[in-house]
Amino acid sequence: MEKLEDIIFYTLERAIKSYRQYAQHNITAAGIDITIDQWLLLKAIQENPGTPQNELAKTVFKDMASITRMIELMVTKGFLIRNINSNDRRRSLLDLTETGLLILEVIQPVIETNRNTALDTLSKDELVLLDDLLSRITRNTSFKAERSGN
Amino acid sequence: MEKLEDIIFYTLERAIKSYRQYAQHNITAAGIDITIDQWLLLKAIQENPGTPQNELAKTVFKDMASITRMIELMVTKGFLIRNINSNDRRRSLLDLTETGLLILEVIQPVIETNRNTALDTLSKDELVLLDDLLSRITRNTSFKAERSGN
DNA sequence: TGCATTTAATTGACATATCAATTATTATTG
DNA sequence: CAATAATAATTGATATGTCAATTAAATGCA
């Protein structure tokens, strides 16, 4: 815990946790009853209609078990409707309800404000660089030809 | 989900998740029965003897409830011993067991290899920059004079 | 000293992460 | 076509994250 190389992952964890807390706080304060993770999944479903859950899992960097439970929750909350895909009865067909669509609308400005605040003072160039550095870490730590599921 | 500003937090999440999975995989593969979170907390206890749990929570970016449960677990696992601080009976006194110390020793090379792999091709300058960018995000999203606990 | 306040830690409830096992359905192939 | 393999999703178990409520002890103050 002395040299920079040793703490860069703490800095990473700290940044993401700080952002998440901040963002969630503002969402809740705006009277919107949704978690950031639920929002992300809901948005992914909206943007990729008909996508099976295993694809959604990859899109939002989660595993299938989490997706199943989150969808369940959002069906209960009235954000989603789940039907069975008649072409492949193993799959489900997910659609946003009116409520789900409305939530996405009202949350959008909050999300944008959160991002702008979080990234305030970071220039376009710096964002490009940050994206590149993080992507390299991802590449360096991605499992290749292993049967490890992900 | 189009512009860079919109996806930087996905890149962030992806990097941290990728690293965590990779690191945990290697630890488990080395036959070491500890999670990354437990390791971090164990190390924090070792490096800050006598520190109360609320301080530990800040150090490892977690909340007190998580710390309580993780300590409980590590006591059960035989990594830690918990005693009551006689100066202030609300606090506990945490000490690593022989097993706890041994774990930290055997895990150290694995941790270092993980970091080196993850940060491969990132120069010293880039690490400094990454640290700076992430710290700025943290600053931008840190709650100031609010009574929000953290 | 006595009571209210603060503080440290725990506990409960629920959301999410991860892994393993299971179920239902579809695809393969002998 | 029947047995087997592969795939999509669910479920169970356990770890962690977050918030709220509670407990126990210490502190402040009248």
Side-chain angles (χ1 to χ4, degrees):
Chain A
M1 306 216 181
E2 334 73 48
K3 298 196 279 92
L4 182 60
E5 292 82 354
D6 294 345
I7 63 159
I8 192 70
F9 291 105
Y10 299 91
T11 314
L12 235 174
E13 295 254 2
R14 189 179 51 187
I16 194 74
K17 283 188 182 176
S18 184
Y19 172 70
R20 279 180 151 272
Q21 279 189 0
Y22 174 77
Q24 186 67 60
H25 178 272
N26 288 343
I27 290 166
T28 305
I32 306 172
D33 179 30
I34 194 171
T35 68
I36 292 182
D37 293 297
Q38 288 169 10
W39 164 74
L40 177 55
L41 177 55
L42 197 59
K43 200 157 169 61
I45 292 170
Q46 184 194 37
E47 294 189 351
N48 307 281
T51 304
Q53 292 179 202
N54 53 6
E55 288 297 324
L56 289 173
K58 286 177 203 160
T59 302
V60 300
F61 316 133
K62 293 178 190 298
D63 79 333
M64 284 180 54
S66 297
I67 299 296
T68 293
R69 283 160 185 142
M70 289 173 70
I71 285 174
E72 221 169 85
L73 236 170
M74 288 202 287
V75 168
T76 302
K77 279 175 130 181
F79 299 168
L80 280 179
I81 290 179
R82 168 159 47 182
N83 290 304
I84 291 174
N85 183 327
S86 48
N87 287 357
D88 184 340
R89 299 174 47 74
R90 289 169 304 185
R91 299 187 187 182
S92 43
L93 263 180
L94 300 166
D95 287 292
L96 274 70
T97 61
E98 292 294 319
T99 309
L101 287 167
L102 188 63
I103 282 267
L104 286 187
E105 270 182 43
V106 301
I107 205 177
Q108 192 57 31
V110 181
I111 298 280
E112 281 168 20
T113 303
N114 286 341
R115 284 181 185 147
N116 291 339
T117 307
L119 301 178
D120 186 37
T121 78
L122 277 77
S123 71
K124 188 82 182 168
D125 283 353
E126 284 173 330
L127 286 178
V128 171
L129 192 54
L130 178 56
D131 190 76
D132 173 56
L133 295 174
L134 293 172
S135 297
R136 278 154 69 190
I137 290 176
T138 301
R139 268 200 303 283
N140 288 344
T141 53
S142 292
F143 292 115
K144 288 94 191 175
E146 296 186 56
R147 62 222 98 25
S148 62
N150 198 7
Chain B
M1 306 216 181
E2 334 74 47
K3 298 196 280 94
L4 183 59
E5 292 82 356
D6 293 344
I7 64 159
I8 193 70
F9 290 105
Y10 299 91
T11 314
L12 235 175
E13 295 254 1
R14 191 179 51 187
I16 194 74
K17 282 188 182 178
S18 184
Y19 171 70
R20 281 180 149 271
Q21 278 189 2
Y22 174 77
Q24 186 65 61
H25 178 272
N26 289 343
I27 290 167
T28 305
I32 306 173
D33 179 30
I34 194 171
T35 67
I36 293 181
D37 293 297
Q38 288 169 11
W39 163 75
L40 177 54
L41 178 54
L42 197 58
K43 200 156 169 60
I45 292 170
Q46 184 195 38
E47 294 190 351
N48 307 281
T51 304
Q53 293 180 200
N54 54 6
E55 288 296 325
L56 289 172
K58 286 178 202 159
T59 302
V60 301
F61 315 134
K62 295 179 190 296
D63 79 333
M64 284 181 53
S66 297
I67 299 294
T68 293
R69 282 158 187 144
M70 290 173 69
I71 286 173
E72 220 168 84
L73 236 170
M74 290 202 286
V75 167
T76 302
K77 279 175 130 182
F79 299 167
L80 279 180
I81 292 180
R82 167 158 46 181
N83 290 303
I84 292 175
N85 184 328
S86 48
N87 287 357
D88 184 341
R89 300 175 46 74
R90 289 169 304 184
R91 298 187 186 183
S92 40
L93 262 179
L94 300 166
D95 286 294
L96 275 70
T97 62
E98 292 294 319
T99 309
L101 288 166
L102 187 62
I103 283 267
L104 286 188
E105 270 182 42
V106 303
I107 205 177
Q108 193 56 33
V110 181
I111 297 280
E112 281 168 19
T113 303
N114 286 342
R115 284 180 186 148
N116 290 339
T117 308
L119 301 178
D120 185 37
T121 78
L122 277 78
S123 71
K124 188 81 182 169
D125 282 354
E126 284 173 329
L127 286 178
V128 171
L129 193 54
L130 178 56
D131 190 76
D132 173 57
L133 295 173
L134 293 172
S135 297
R136 277 154 70 189
I137 290 176
T138 302
R139 267 200 304 282
N140 287 344
T141 53
S142 292
F143 292 116
K144 289 95 191 176
E146 296 188 57
R147 60 223 103 21
S148 63
N150 199 6

